[in-house]
C-alpha cells in the first residue's frame, strides 16, 4: 500500500516487538516529515537499536506498520525488501562492516548492485571526493584509519541517495573533534543528498545539533504484562 502523506518520510503505527523469551517492547507512534532530522533518545535497554532495525527493514515487528518514503516495508517480499532497503535506506552502524576482501570502490559497487542499480563509477567518484576519500578508492578496509573507515561507511550509506540515513550511536567512541566532524559529515551528506537523518544516541554533543527528538516512551514490559 502506498502512503497518502507524500511529505512524510517515516510513519510508525502501533509497533510492538516481542523478543523470543525476552522483552516485549511497545513503541510510540511517529511521523517524520521529509527533511526533519530526528534523534531517537532513551535509556540503555529502552529499545533504540531494536527500533532502528525495525524501521530499516531488518527486523519484522510483531505488530504494527512501518512506512518509509510511502512504502509499507513489511508488505514487500523478502527480495523486494532487500532491494528497497538498498535504494532508500542508508545504514551507518558503529562498526563500519565493510567487506574486508573488497576495496573501498568495490564495496560501493556492491552497494549499488544490491539496490538493483547499475554500477555508476562517476557517482562513486563524486561521493568519495565529497568525503575526502578519493585517494583511498583502491585501498582495502584494513588499510584505512578509523576516521577513513567511518567516512567509507558514510559513503556506502549515501551512495544510492537514500530517503533516510539511519545511524546507531555514530559518535559513541569519538573524541569531541571527531564527533564534530562526523556530525558535520552526516548533516552535510543528508542535506546534499536530500535524505532525512535518524540518529539513536545517548550523546549530549549530538543533542545540541539536532532539535527534533523521539523519546523512547516505554520501559520494556515483562513478557506477560
Ligand atoms: N536478541 C535479543 N533477545 C532478547 N532480548 C533482547 C535481544 N536484543 C535486545 N533485547 C532486549 O530488548 C531491550 C531493548 O534492547 P535495545 O538493544 O533495542 O536497547 P537500546 O535502547 O538500543 O540499548 P543501548 O542504549 O544500551 O544500546 C533490552 O532490554 C534488551 O535486553
Amino acid at each position: 500500500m502506498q502512503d497518502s502523506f507524500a511529505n512524510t518520510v517515516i510513519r510508525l503505527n502501533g509497533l510492538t516487538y516481542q523478543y523470543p523469551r525476552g522483552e516485549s517492547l511497545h513503541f510510540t507512534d511517529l511521523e517524520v516529515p521529509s527533511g526533519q532530522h530526528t534523534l531517537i533518545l532513551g535509556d540503555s535497554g529502552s529499545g533504540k537499536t531494536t527500533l532502528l532495525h525495525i524501521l530499516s527493514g531488518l527486523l519484522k515487528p510483531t505488530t504494527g506498520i512501518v512506512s518509509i518514503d510511502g512504502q509499507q516495508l513489511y508488505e514487500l517480499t523478502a527480495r523486494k525488501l532487500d532491494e528497497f532497503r538498498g535504494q532508500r535506506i542508508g545504514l551507518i552502524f558503529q562498526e563500519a562492516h565493510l567487506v574486508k576482501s573488497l576495496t573501498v570502490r568495490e564495496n560501493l559497487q556492491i552497494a549499488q548492485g544490491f539496490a538493483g542499480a547499475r554500477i555508476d563509477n562517476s557517482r562513486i567518484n563524486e561521493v568519495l571526493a565529497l568525503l575526502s576519500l578519493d585517494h583511498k578508492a583502491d585501498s582495502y578496509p584494513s588499510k584505512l584509519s578509523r576516521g577513513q573507515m567511518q567516512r567509507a561507511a558514510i559513503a556506502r550509506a549515501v551512495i544510492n541517495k537514500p530517503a533516510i540515513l539511519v545511524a546507531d550511536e555514530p559518535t559513541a567512541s569519538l573524541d569531541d573533534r571527531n564527533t564534530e566532524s562526523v556530525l558535520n559529515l552526516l548533516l552535510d551528506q543528508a542535506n546534499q543528498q536530500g535524505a532525512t537523518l535518524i540518529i539513536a544516541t545517548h550523546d549530549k554533543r549530538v543533542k545540541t545539533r539536532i532539535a527534533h527528538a523521539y523519546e523512547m516512551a516505554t520501559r520494556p514490559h515483562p513478557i506477560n504484562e
Side-chain angles (χ1 to χ4, degrees):
M1 207 176 96
Q2 293 291 305
D3 203 314
S4 55
F5 305 104
N7 206 20
T8 300
V9 72
I10 298 176
R11 190 162 63 87
L12 308 179
N13 200 251
L15 278 188
T16 64
Y17 188 77
Q18 168 76 64
Y19 278 105
R21 291 182 300 283
E23 310 281 4
S24 167
L25 300 166
H26 296 236
F27 301 98
T28 312
D29 291 350
L30 174 69
E31 268 187 33
V32 180
S34 182
Q36 181 187 283
H37 306 317
T38 301
L39 299 180
I40 310 276
L41 303 178
D43 295 340
S44 178
S46 60
K48 299 180 298 296
T49 300
T50 306
L51 180 62
L52 289 192
H53 288 168
I54 291 173
L55 69 81
S56 304
L58 297 169
L59 186 68
K60 188 175 179 184
T62 307
T63 66
I65 286 170
V66 180
S67 170
I68 303 294
D69 204 23
Q71 175 64 56
Q72 282 195 26
L73 289 190
Y74 296 98
E75 281 189 341
L76 296 170
T77 60
R79 199 174 64 79
K80 287 279 177 201
L81 177 55
D82 281 346
E83 199 172 289
F84 183 83
R85 190 188 314 116
Q87 288 164 352
R88 307 308 288 147
I89 302 174
L91 296 173
I92 301 162
F93 291 112
Q94 243 182 72
E95 299 297 324
H97 298 305
L98 297 177
V99 180
K100 292 190 181 70
S101 58
L102 300 178
T103 65
V104 171
R105 177 183 299 286
E106 289 164 346
N107 266 279
L108 298 181
Q109 289 172 337
I110 58 163
Q112 290 177 328
F114 277 142
R118 67 184 175 82
I119 303 303
D120 180 350
N121 277 308
S122 66
R123 170 72 183 154
I124 290 175
N125 293 339
E126 174 190 55
V127 168
L128 289 176
L130 278 172
L131 290 162
S132 310
L133 273 178
D134 20 3
H135 60 304
K136 292 290 176 188
D138 299 316
S139 298
Y140 289 91
S142 61
K143 301 284 184 259
L144 301 182
S145 74
R146 203 184 155 97
Q148 287 165 346
M149 186 86 92
Q150 204 153 20
R151 297 208 298 283
I154 295 173
R156 188 186 50 186
V158 300
I159 194 72
N160 297 320
K161 300 193 176 170
I164 63 170
L165 255 183
V166 177
D168 195 3
E169 297 280 7
T171 57
S173 52
L174 301 180
D175 61 21
D176 288 352
R177 194 171 61 83
N178 282 308
T179 293
E180 183 73 14
S181 86
V182 164
L183 279 177
N184 287 341
L185 279 177
L186 286 173
L187 285 162
D188 287 352
Q189 287 300 308
N191 292 334
Q192 282 173 31
Q193 316 284 337
T196 304
L197 255 185
I198 305 296
I199 302 182
T201 191
H202 290 113
D203 190 339
K204 291 195 180 65
R205 301 169 298 186
V206 181
K207 297 181 197 170
T208 60
R209 300 287 303 275
I210 296 178
H212 291 279
Y214 171 91
E215 299 273 352
M216 301 298 300
T218 56
R219 64 185 170 76
H221 294 230
I223 293 177
N224 295 321
E225 197 170 299

